[in-house]
């Protein structure tokens, strides 16, 4: 039997994933994203084990990130094409735009 080395999310990584969850990202997607950020590239199985998520969640997370343009697949491996900072920045910009639109709608109601 051979020994393999596998990266695992630590407390700091989990805190980052929890923060992303507050921005509307499901926790399994956030964990997969944080794992890929640290690992560079990984197979679905490595993401599943390292991010401590189930196989269907790993598959859904990767499909979601690819659809959003945050990750890409090369053969059996995945990698992020945007940094977590850029992804969080885009989430923040969308949240701000939504809040601004709601504030404008409230202002129109007051008039």
């Amino acid at each position: 039997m051979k020994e393999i080395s596998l990266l695992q999310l630590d407390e700091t990584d989990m805190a980052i994933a929890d923060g992303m969850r507050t921005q509307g990202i499901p926790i399994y997607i956030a964990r997969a994203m944080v794992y890929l950020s640290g690992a560079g590239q990984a197979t679905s199985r490595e993401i599943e084990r390292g991010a401590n998520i189930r196989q269907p969640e790993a598959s859904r997370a990767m499909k979601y990130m690819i659809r959003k343009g945050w990750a890409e697949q090369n053969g059996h491996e995945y990698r992020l094409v945007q940094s977590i900072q850029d992804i969080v920045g885009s989430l923040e910009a969308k949240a701000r735009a939504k809040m601004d639109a709601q504030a404008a709608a409230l202002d129109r109601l007051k008039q």
Side-chain angles (χ1 to χ4, degrees):
M1 199 172 293
K2 65 181 178 180
E3 182 179 324
I4 60 170
S5 175
L6 181 67
L7 297 174
Q8 294 274 311
L9 298 181
D10 61 18
E11 288 180 25
T12 304
D13 297 329
M14 294 301 283
I16 293 168
D18 285 341
M20 295 177 79
R21 186 179 60 176
T22 65
Q23 295 301 313
I25 300 293
I27 192 65
Y28 67 94
I29 294 173
R31 285 182 178 181
M33 189 181 307
V34 171
Y35 180 81
L36 269 181
S37 176
Q41 63 183 25
T43 64
S44 182
R45 183 71 175 145
E46 290 167 340
I47 295 166
E48 174 189 343
R49 289 180 176 175
N52 195 24
I53 57 178
R54 296 177 299 129
Q55 187 279 324
E57 293 172 329
S59 294
R60 284 195 308 262
M62 295 318 305
K63 286 178 184 176
Y64 179 86
M65 287 190 275
I66 289 169
R67 191 172 61 247
K68 289 284 195 177
W70 298 341
E72 68 181 9
Q73 182 177 6
N74 185 13
H76 293 288
E77 293 192 324
Y78 299 93
R79 72 178 190 90
L80 291 179
V81 293
Q82 292 185 22
S83 70
I84 285 187
Q85 293 81 5
D86 290 343
I87 294 167
V88 169
S90 70
L91 293 173
E92 181 181 13
K94 286 180 185 177
R96 285 185 194 276
K98 184 177 180 179
M99 287 176 17
D100 290 345
Q102 289 173 341
L106 286 173
D107 287 343
R108 285 191 300 273
L109 286 175
K110 289 178 185 178
Q111 298 174 353

